[in-house]
Amino acid sequence: MLADGFYEWRKKSDRQPFHIRLKDGKPFAFAGLWERWKQDDKAVESCTILTTDANAAVQSIHERMPVILDPARYQDWLAAGEGEGEGAAAVDYLRPYPAEEITTVAVSQHVNSPRNNGPECLTPAPAKTTLF
């Protein structure tokens, strides 16, 4: 599953959303699982994105994050599980992505509504001011 970022909400009273992406801005792939089966003669397709513990860049926002795959290992991930014993190797991929390669930006509450889907969802949140 390809992406160029994801959102996570800080679990405090303000529920501040953050856009999380790679510092270099390049797209990346999440580790995911996909399945197709039949139910009542109808094809059903489903997918999920796997998560892991948050790295140091994300842990102040949330305790977990999606598994982001190292681009050098995309083909290995896609091939995992195709042969006997391959599934055990897939566990090696389920680690937090290096924190030094991640950036987090607080964004506006505009992203909180599923009706909103556009560049406004990436608008940085206004800086909070403290009055003495």
Side-chain angles (χ1 to χ4, degrees), residues 74-117:
Y74 287 171
Q75 290 303 317
D76 295 336
W77 173 261
L78 293 172
E82 289 182 357
E84 289 293 319
E86 294 291 328
V91 174
D92 293 338
Y93 297 88
L94 306 182
R95 292 179 168 63
Y97 203 74
E100 62 275 5
E101 296 181 32
I102 300 277
T103 188
T104 64
V105 177
V107 293
S108 80
Q109 300 287 332
H110 184 79
V111 74
N112 290 351
S113 173
R115 289 186 302 264
N116 298 333
N117 186 19

Side-chain angles (χ1 to χ4, degrees), residues 10 14-16 106 109 125-131:
R10 185 173 46 212
D14 65 351
R15 298 269 306 148
Q16 174 63 55
Q109 300 287 332
K128 295 189 181 203
T129 58
T130 305
L131 300 176

Side-chain angles (χ1 to χ4, degrees), residues 15 21 45 61 99 132:
R15 298 269 306 148
R21 64 176 179 80
E45 295 179 347
I61 300 166
F132 299 98

